[in-house]
């Protein structure tokens, strides 16, 4: 099965009616999935473990179609955790082979990516992956990067704590190189250095298989997400489970929005206080300025923003270089 359907699969009238009812309420723009339960599904259905993972991929493809159909424009999936490297060699090889096949197929079906205008991003510590997989991933990411209708983030070789450590290392290096000041370190900067920096936070997170933990997935990004834990194993997930989770999101929407608004205004207040204390400490060590305190704070904020923009360009150009190098390697090795 490919990632995106060639033709739209038909929907029954009952689906269309339910979809119309749901569309009267807020539809989450970004949904994250912990696709759990593939192996239990395999055992339950007397299959090889590998078959469970392949069925898991088919379910992902179906789910993407349901999401696009109802107006969910961004999906993030946990496809392979760094912890999964601890599984048996056979299983890790099987999951790597699945990724190799599916990303290669995606590149063979470029016209489908273009037809659906989907931007595919792969998030995680890709350097832990076999080189040929890094290369085909880089190809997909580079090829689809300007597509704007929908975004698919595949977290592969990912854990949230590794992501946060990687972001902290970028920031520490920025301070060390003198590109930013230690007082520039903020929640906002941290977010912009995460692998997910180009995405809004998920509105809804769905985990299948009855497990009720986040397992090191998007820990930073899901502080204000609506969480939905469903009992079925991932390959058994149906459109009704998706609709149920959206309904759960709609019921909790007002409380979530209030929490987000309050956190955002707190964050802005903290930034203003930080700018103010920086100006005050500069004041102590330099001559009196001709400008009023308010003007000086505004000026300081402008300089801080310019400094951060330059630093983030530096971080992004490193990532871009990494992908470009892999793409040109792929072209020369022709794998
Ligand atoms: C969790 O089930 C699932 C995984 C570790 C792999 C998920 C991968 C896919 C669904 C395919 C996606 C592939 C690509 C290339 C995007 P589990 O193995 O933990 O099963 P269990 O909970 O029953 O033990
Ligand atoms: Mg599991």
């Amino acid at each position: 099965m490919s990632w995106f359907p060639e033709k739209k699969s038909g929907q029954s009238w009952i689906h269309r009616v339910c979809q119309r009812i749901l569309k009267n309420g807020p539809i989450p723009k970004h949904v994250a999935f912990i696709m759990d339960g593939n192996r239990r599904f395999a055992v339950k259905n007397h299959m090889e473990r590998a078959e469970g993972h392949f069925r898991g991929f088919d379910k992902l493809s179906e789910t993407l179609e349901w999401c696009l159909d109802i107006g969910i424009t961004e999906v993030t999936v946990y496809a392979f955790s760094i912890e999964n490297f601890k599984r048996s060699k056979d299983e890790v090889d099987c999951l790597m082979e699945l990724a190799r096949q599916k990303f290669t197929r995606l590149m063979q079906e470029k016209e489908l990516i273009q037809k659906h205008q989907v931007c595919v991003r792969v998030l995680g510590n890709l350097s832990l992956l076999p080189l040929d997989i890094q290369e085909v991933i880089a190809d997909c990411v580079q090829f689809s990067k300007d597509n704007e209708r929908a975004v698919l983030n595949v977290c592969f070789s990912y854990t949230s704590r590794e992501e946060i450590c990687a972001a902290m290392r970028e920031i520490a290096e920025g301070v060390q190189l003198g590109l930013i000041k230690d007082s520039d370190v903020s929640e906002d900067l941290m977010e912009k250095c995460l692998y997910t920096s180009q995405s809004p936070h998920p509105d809804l997170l769905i985990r299948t298989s009855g497990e009720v933990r986040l397992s090191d997935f998007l820990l930073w990004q899901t502080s204000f997400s609506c969480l939905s834990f469903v009992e079925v194993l991932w390959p058994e997930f149906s459109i009704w489970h998706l609709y149920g989770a959206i309904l759960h999101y709609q019921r909790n929407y007002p409380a979530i929005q209030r929490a987000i608004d309050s956190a955002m205004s707190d964050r802005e207040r903290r930034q203003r206080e930080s700018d103010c204390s920086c100006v005050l400490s500069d004041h102590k060590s330099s001559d009196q300025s001709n400008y009023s305190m308010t003007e000086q704070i505004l000026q300081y904020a402008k300089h801080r923003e310019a400094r951060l923009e330059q630093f983030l360009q530096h971080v992004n150009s490193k990532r871009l270089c990494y992908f470009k190098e892999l793409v040109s390697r792929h072209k020369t090795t022709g794998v």
Side-chain angles (χ1 to χ4, degrees):
M1 205 182 219
S2 27
W3 293 70
F4 306 104
E6 221 154 321
K7 267 197 285 166
K8 240 175 125 184
S9 54
Q11 279 194 354
S12 68
W13 66 270
I14 186 90
H15 284 136
R16 286 196 299 275
V17 170
C18 290
Q19 203 183 82
R20 208 166 300 155
I21 295 170
L22 282 175
K23 280 185 168 175
N24 282 322
I27 296 293
K29 298 240 167 343
H30 180 182
V31 179
F33 291 93
I34 303 181
M35 310 179 286
D36 195 21
N38 291 349
R39 295 184 300 185
R40 275 167 282 170
F41 176 82
V43 171
K44 191 173 153 186
N45 292 282
H46 317 288
M47 296 167 175
E48 293 288 322
R49 195 175 268 178
E51 183 60 22
H53 290 310
F54 276 80
R55 295 289 183 100
F57 178 85
D58 294 347
K59 184 54 67 179
L60 167 61
S61 161
E62 250 185 302
T63 305
L64 291 177
E65 187 183 358
W66 302 331
C67 287
L68 277 175
D69 240 17
I70 199 161
I72 294 165
T73 49
E74 181 148 4
V75 167
T76 301
V77 293
Y78 206 4
F80 190 85
S81 152
I82 292 176
E83 289 295 308
N84 290 154
F85 281 114
K86 294 183 190 151
R87 292 188 178 188
S88 71
K89 182 177 180 314
D90 273 0
E91 190 174 354
V92 173
D93 288 349
C94 155
L95 286 163
M96 290 300 140
E97 184 51 34
L98 177 63
R100 187 176 284 112
Q101 277 181 23
K102 296 303 178 183
F103 281 109
T104 306
R105 174 93 188 257
L106 188 61
M107 284 316 284
Q108 288 161 352
E109 294 176 333
K110 284 181 176 165
E111 70 288 353
L112 273 184
I113 311 184
Q114 292 314 88
K115 181 178 150 199
H116 292 281
Q117 277 292 297
V118 182
C119 165
V120 179
R121 299 188 190 124
V122 182
L123 315 177
N125 185 346
L126 303 187
S127 70
L128 302 176
L129 297 169
L131 195 56
D132 68 314
I133 299 186
Q134 291 185 43
E135 287 174 5
V136 68
I137 283 176
D139 236 0
C140 293
V141 171
Q142 282 294 98
F143 174 75
S144 67
K145 69 179 176 16
D146 298 323
N147 290 344
E148 285 184 343
R149 185 174 158 234
V151 178
L152 170 63
N153 302 300
V154 182
C155 293
F156 204 82
S157 183
Y158 173 92
T159 60
S160 199
R161 283 179 288 188
E162 193 277 336
E163 174 186 37
I164 291 169
C165 288
M168 282 170 62
R169 276 196 295 275
E170 290 288 8
I171 292 173
E173 190 189 283
V175 173
Q176 208 169 29
L177 293 173
L179 297 172
I180 50 175
K181 301 181 179 191
D182 50 6
S183 59
D184 292 338
V185 181
S186 65
E187 286 179 27
D188 199 49
L189 177 62
M190 197 53 200
E191 272 175 16
K192 289 179 175 147
C193 292
L194 295 174
Y195 298 140
T196 55
S197 61
Q198 295 181 74
S199 298
H201 293 175
D203 303 298
L204 171 65
L205 178 139
I206 301 174
R207 179 173 188 156
T208 56
S209 92
E211 305 294 345
V212 289
R213 55 185 193 279
L214 291 178
S215 299
D216 220 342
F217 183 52
L218 304 180
L219 299 182
W220 181 289
Q221 299 86 341
T222 52
S223 290
F224 300 103
S225 305
C226 177
L227 306 182
S228 174
F229 297 101
V230 286
E231 288 290 330
V232 287
L233 304 172
W234 173 248
E236 298 168 340
F237 187 73
S238 75
I239 198 167
W240 301 114
H241 297 110
L242 178 67
Y243 287 175
I246 295 175
L247 203 58
H248 175 59
Y249 168 76
Q250 294 185 338
R251 277 199 230 104
N252 289 286
Y253 181 79
I256 291 174
Q257 289 312 306
R258 277 197 301 278
I260 292 175
D261 290 347
S262 156
M264 286 304 124
S265 58
D266 272 358
R267 185 185 283 196
E268 281 164 21
R269 178 186 47 75
R270 281 199 300 274
Q271 187 60 69
R272 278 196 304 274
E273 285 172 2
S274 160
D275 287 345
C276 183
S277 80
C278 288
V279 169
L280 283 173
S281 65
D282 280 358
H283 220 259
K284 278 187 209 144
S285 57
S286 67
D287 292 340
Q288 292 285 73
S289 167
N290 293 327
Y291 295 100
S292 74
M293 197 57 187
T294 316
E295 284 169 327
Q296 286 181 61
I297 294 172
L298 285 175
Q299 194 95 63
Y300 182 86
K302 229 168 97 176
H303 287 148
R304 171 179 51 75
E305 278 163 20
R307 198 161 56 234
L308 290 177
E309 203 179 299
Q310 226 175 1
F311 166 67
L312 291 168
Q313 268 174 18
H314 162 82
V315 172
N316 287 332
S317 72
K318 274 202 292 184
R319 283 184 194 166
L320 217 65
C321 267
Y322 168 73
F323 278 115
K324 278 189 177 156
E325 262 173 44
L326 283 171
V327 171
S328 61
R329 258 183 100 103
H330 197 203
K331 282 199 181 115
T332 35
T333 53
V335 180

